[in-house]
Amino acid sequence: MILAGNRQQVISRLRLSNPWHLLAVGFGSGLSPVMPGTTGSLAAIPFWYFLIQLPQELYYLIVLLGICLGVYLCHRTAKDMGVHDHGSIVWDEFIGMWITLVAIPNHHWQWIAIGFVVFRVFDIWKPWPIRWFDRNVRGGMGIMVDDIVAGVISAALIFAMAHYFPAFIPF
């Protein structure tokens, strides 16, 4: 894979008419010039809101399929762009947010905001083991796995906050 060019040159290799590229960049949200990962995480929330209307088993199945599909589409898009994990590829943030938000105890905006902030902190900070996966796994799985792990850790933290320390949550 060629490592190439400035942001505009790399983004010019995207074709939003290509469904893999369109999904990989989160329907365009990853093309934000400022904090594309954060923008992608925010863009995942309306889709999550639609998904939670479905039966829980179907929600989990869609997230699992999104992971499997994401490995391919992130790999394909990164290869087409010539950069391993370009910031505009945010499908992994969509999946990480959907995993995180499964743990919120209710759908009040405060819990959604907490889920968003917790996920973004873990995704940006990348403490162990997230950092290990980010540095040691390549390809489409490498793009996806650190956000999957960040989502699982975020969900566990939110679950613990809601169920073991409810007195500290004012809503």
Side-chain angles (χ1 to χ4, degrees):
M1 184 178 327
I2 21 176
L3 295 176
N6 66 34
R7 177 178 165 77
Q8 206 51 43
Q9 287 176 324
V10 171
I11 288 177
S12 72
R13 296 185 191 120
L14 284 172
R15 298 291 171 254
L16 296 182
S17 59
N18 178 331
W20 302 126
H21 291 187
L22 185 63
L23 286 173
V25 298
F27 304 97
S29 62
L31 299 176
S32 170
V34 179
M35 300 185 307
T38 300
T39 304
S41 297
L42 278 172
I45 294 171
F47 292 94
W48 165 81
Y49 191 74
F50 168 75
L51 290 173
I52 62 169
Q53 309 304 315
L54 302 172
Q56 191 172 29
E57 295 81 8
L58 187 54
Y59 178 92
Y60 293 143
L61 180 61
I62 290 171
V63 172
L64 184 60
L65 290 173
I67 291 169
C68 296
L69 179 69
V71 170
Y72 175 77
L73 69 92
C74 289
H75 171 76
R76 179 80 247 164
T77 303
K79 186 175 177 185
D80 291 347
M81 293 175 80
V83 177
H84 166 62
D85 188 1
H86 192 266
S88 64
I89 297 175
V90 295
W91 183 255
D92 49 333
E93 273 81 10
F94 272 59
I95 296 298
M97 279 297 297
W98 296 346
I99 292 169
T100 298
L101 294 175
V102 77
I104 62 175
N106 58 57
H107 301 142
H108 292 157
W109 71 267
Q110 294 98 330
W111 278 112
I112 297 167
I114 288 171
F116 171 78
V117 169
V118 169
F119 173 71
R120 289 309 300 150
V121 166
F122 280 115
D123 189 32
I124 293 167
W125 177 34
K126 297 192 188 317
W128 185 91
I130 300 165
R131 179 174 289 133
W132 186 90
F133 285 103
D134 185 55
R135 290 181 178 169
N136 294 293
V137 182
R138 308 308 302 157
M141 180 56 83
I143 295 170
M144 293 290 298
V145 73
D146 64 306
D147 290 87
I148 294 167
V149 175
V152 169
I153 292 170
S154 298
L157 180 62
I158 290 169
F159 179 85
M161 287 170 52
H163 296 283
Y164 298 112
F165 306 103
F168 293 108
I169 309 298
F171 40 87

